[in-house]
Amino acid sequence: AQKVTQAQTEISVVEKEDVTLDCVYETRDTTYYLFWYKQPPSGELVFLIRRNSFDEQNEISGRYSWNFQKSTSSFNFTITASQVVDSAVYFCALSPTYTGGFKTIFGAGTRLFVKA
Amino acid sequence: NAGVTQTPKFQVLKTGQSMTLQCAQDMNHEYMSWYRQDPGMGLRLIHYSVGAGITDQGEVPNGYNVSRSTTEDFPLRLLSAAPSQTSVYFCASSDRSDTQYFGPGTRLTVL
């Protein structure tokens, strides 16, 4: 069975702090994708990143970075120098490869508050 | 390139009424899905389609119908609305990369 756990329900930080959102997953599939989505207060779901299970390289995009560790089944997301605009709910997700996305399992989400 | 569009953005229904939530995508994606998002429940898959003319049930299909007559459109029909269907509904499309692109959502209230 597949499962995605985001143990942090809510995180509150002050602007310019670094923050890490944790994601732990379970799967029996040998190949899979991991995703992060952002849901700002306006409600839409915004795709941030997709990582294939055979690619454990960390990725950095501006203030965002992702750390994928297969050994611990984790795919953590760090925001450096957080800003108020980063306030949102962040979802981690897992999908077997080449299934069209409809077998995607979403975590419950972590609500991030960034205070000015 | 509009991506995934959904209409309406907001809707209020009375119990027993029927309605159709519209979803369209212009990315020529094969796969489309409908989810509902409820507090504390995350995103739950209602129905999905792997191509025009092919649909299947997801985790919570009861009370909903779908059809996929074209690649672009994937409407969701509520047959007889119930208060338990009060939710935010998201349509998504994806290609073989499995990355799902979501519409802006429809907030539905059933009284």
Side-chain angles (χ1 to χ4, degrees):
Chain A
Q2 294 190 109
K3 188 177 178 182
V4 175
T5 302
Q6 295 180 255
Q8 304 148 308
T9 307
E10 288 186 1
I11 302 175
S12 183
V13 299
V14 176
E15 214 172 16
K16 297 185 184 175
E17 282 186 28
D18 298 346
V19 58
T20 295
L21 310 182
D22 297 332
C23 174
V24 174
Y25 64 92
E26 296 174 29
T27 182
R28 291 182 181 173
D29 294 307
T30 52
T31 60
Y32 49 90
Y33 287 121
L34 293 162
F35 305 86
W36 276 95
Y37 286 87
K38 174 182 179 180
Q39 188 172 40
S42 50
E44 70 272 23
L45 283 156
V46 179
F47 164 72
L48 294 178
I49 189 172
R50 184 190 79 217
R51 173 60 75 214
N52 195 308
S53 55
F54 58 71
D55 181 4
E56 286 194 69
Q57 273 197 326
N58 292 333
E59 181 153 344
I60 298 174
S61 176
R63 296 184 297 105
Y64 294 172
S65 62
W66 292 270
N67 181 269
F68 175 31
Q69 292 198 343
K70 224 169 173 177
S71 60
T72 56
S73 297
S74 65
F75 186 44
N76 296 338
F77 173 29
T78 297
I79 302 174
T80 303
S82 60
Q83 299 177 1
V84 172
V85 292
D86 296 325
S87 296
V89 180
Y90 292 87
F91 292 95
C92 180
L94 165 70
S95 171
T97 52
Y98 310 122
T99 55
F102 49 81
K103 293 195 176 181
T104 303
I105 301 296
F106 290 85
T110 297
R111 185 176 297 274
L112 174 65
F113 295 99
V114 181
K115 302 178 204 173
Chain B
N1 197 347
V4 181
T5 57
Q6 289 183 239
T7 55
K9 287 192 174 179
F10 301 94
Q11 183 70 50
V12 179
L13 293 178
K14 294 182 180 177
T15 297
Q17 286 185 314
S18 62
M19 81 158 294
T20 299
L21 307 186
Q22 301 292 344
C23 174
Q25 53 97 3
D26 62 1
M27 297 176 281
N28 203 31
H29 285 168
E30 295 173 77
Y31 308 105
M32 297 186 76
S33 307
W34 275 102
Y35 291 86
R36 58 179 289 173
Q37 184 179 30
D38 303 291
M41 304 290 287
L43 283 156
R44 292 184 292 169
L45 183 64
I46 304 171
H47 285 285
Y48 64 93
S49 168
V50 300
I54 307 170
T55 64
D56 207 345
Q57 296 180 351
E59 182 186 352
V60 288
N62 292 341
Y64 308 95
N65 271 355
V66 291
S67 60
R68 184 107 180 263
S69 56
T70 66
T71 300
E72 294 77 21
D73 300 301
F74 191 42
L76 177 73
R77 278 182 286 279
L78 279 71
L79 309 172
S80 177
S84 60
Q85 293 179 304
T86 293
S87 187
V88 180
Y89 292 85
F90 288 98
C91 178
S93 74
S94 58
D95 57 19
R96 289 179 181 261
S97 74
D98 296 317
T99 302
Q100 295 197 84
Y101 296 92
F102 288 87
T106 295
R107 187 173 293 274
L108 175 69
T109 302
V110 183
L111 303 175

